[in-house]
Amino acid sequence: MSDEADGTIFRIGFTVLDRQVVDRRGENLGKVDDVEFTWREGEAPAMTALIIDAASLGGRIAGRFGRFWETVLERMRPPEEAPTRVPLTDVEEFAPTTVLSTDAPPGMRPLEAWVARHLIGRIPGGRR
């Protein structure tokens, strides 16, 4: 893939996928689990967004375990919550750690929010 702005060529699997992502304040957001591409007729595909969501890993894991992973995480996620999508315009740099030029997108860590709401919140004193 090439970046038209500076002519840089990099391998997505090496430079983007499974790399840690931090927002502009340095808060850990997780790892890049998938990427989104846009195809326009007559043009090369262009990477348009990073997907930060453990549920998206199911498609990258082969066989029964991948399908199991997708099923379990889809059932745990409220239906109104979609995977966290970070537009490529929010990425400041791809380095060993991907740095965003913005704060964390809303809806980050849906699995952690579910666990806090349904498990930890039921423990006496867990809602403090």
Side-chain angles (χ1 to χ4, degrees), residues 21-26 29 50 86-93 98-105:
V21 179
V22 297
D23 69 1
R24 68 180 176 161
R25 295 177 290 139
L29 304 180
L50 308 177
V86 178
L88 206 58
T89 56
D90 291 351
V91 175
E92 188 170 304
E93 71 175 315
T98 300
V99 180
L100 302 182
S101 60
T102 60
D103 288 333

Side-chain angles (χ1 to χ4, degrees), residues 101-128:
S101 60
T102 60
D103 288 333
M108 283 299 307
R109 301 183 185 92
L111 183 58
E112 289 178 29
W114 185 93
V115 169
R117 192 170 48 250
H118 291 82
L119 300 178
I120 296 173
R122 293 182 180 192
I123 299 170
R127 293 188 188 257
R128 292 183 195 173

Side-chain angles (χ1 to χ4, degrees), residues 1-2 9-20 31-37 47 49-50 57 60 94-96 98:
M1 166 160 182
S2 73
I9 297 175
F10 63 90
R11 295 184 341 219
I12 291 172
F14 182 75
T15 308
V16 180
L17 290 174
D18 298 323
R19 297 293 179 157
Q20 189 64 45
K31 293 191 176 192
V32 177
D33 295 308
D34 206 351
V35 292
E36 176 184 282
F37 283 90
M47 185 169 60
L50 308 177
L57 283 175
R60 292 177 50 202
F94 289 109
T98 300

